[in-house]
Amino acid sequence: QKEVEQNSGPLSVPEGAIASLNCTYSDRGSQSFFWYRQYSGKSPELIMFIYSNGDKEDGRFTAQLNKASQYVSLLIRDSQPSDSATYLCAVNNSSSNTGKLIFGQGTTLQVKP
Amino acid sequence: EAEVAQSPRYKITEKSQAVAFWCDPISGHATLYWYRQILGQGPELLVQFQDESVVDDSQLPKDRFSAERLKGVDSTLKIQPAELGDSAMYLCASSLIVQPSTDTQYFGPGTRLTVL
């Protein structure tokens, strides 16, 4: 079992729709969860982080965390073609206590005009 | 806005040659990370520095890879000799490390390595 799992996709949504990206993790001690966006050929760019159970909203983005289910998601409202990218979920490694992150393989999102 | 700097952006080399990558973290960031990202996969940590000290190099192939951060600021990652399987994006990231469990990492633009 991978430590951080994401569906590789592609996830295809029409412009204006809500895109839902999901991530599960195995480390029950993890305390911080990050979503990065990565355009093709570029480096990861931080979108959001979440530490507490529940929802955290930032503009069109909402991160949702459920530690009991070991599940974190990212919702993108009013999806735009410019949102087309790979979205990486990252989870801190609790056993190292060094800030080490474990990344999923990423989900590719395609927003069609 | 402060950014992580990396050079070169692209590197093409032949197998068995030596290559080196440079990273300058965001000013004031004590922690520096080198990642390798193979196409279609997420970044994998190679080595982590806290100031000038290595705190995690468990995934660094030490027979051919080396990394240093002599003055606790910029860092160099070296591969010698390069192998075909080393073709990947090499990413540098930095963080402030106020508290490890909630620290946020910021990435540089990366170096795309192609080994022929």
Side-chain angles (χ1 to χ4, degrees), chain A residues 35-106:
Chain A
W35 284 100
Y36 287 85
R37 177 176 62 198
Q38 188 172 29
Y39 292 112
S40 181
K42 303 296 184 182
S43 65
E45 171 192 11
L46 181 68
I47 299 176
M48 291 188 69
F49 56 84
I50 186 167
Y51 305 142
S52 304
N53 276 328
D55 295 359
K56 178 182 179 182
E57 186 175 318
D58 184 1
R60 295 187 297 114
F61 299 95
T62 298
Q64 299 176 318
L65 175 61
N66 184 325
K67 290 186 179 180
S69 300
Q70 296 175 247
Y71 176 91
V72 58
S73 65
L74 180 70
L75 301 179
I76 306 175
R77 289 182 299 281
D78 188 24
S79 294
Q80 300 297 308
S82 59
D83 294 326
S84 297
T86 296
Y87 289 80
L88 297 165
C89 172
V91 175
N92 86 296
N93 178 266
S94 65
S95 60
S96 67
N97 196 31
T98 60
K100 178 178 180 177
L101 294 181
I102 305 298
F103 284 82
Q105 67 176 17

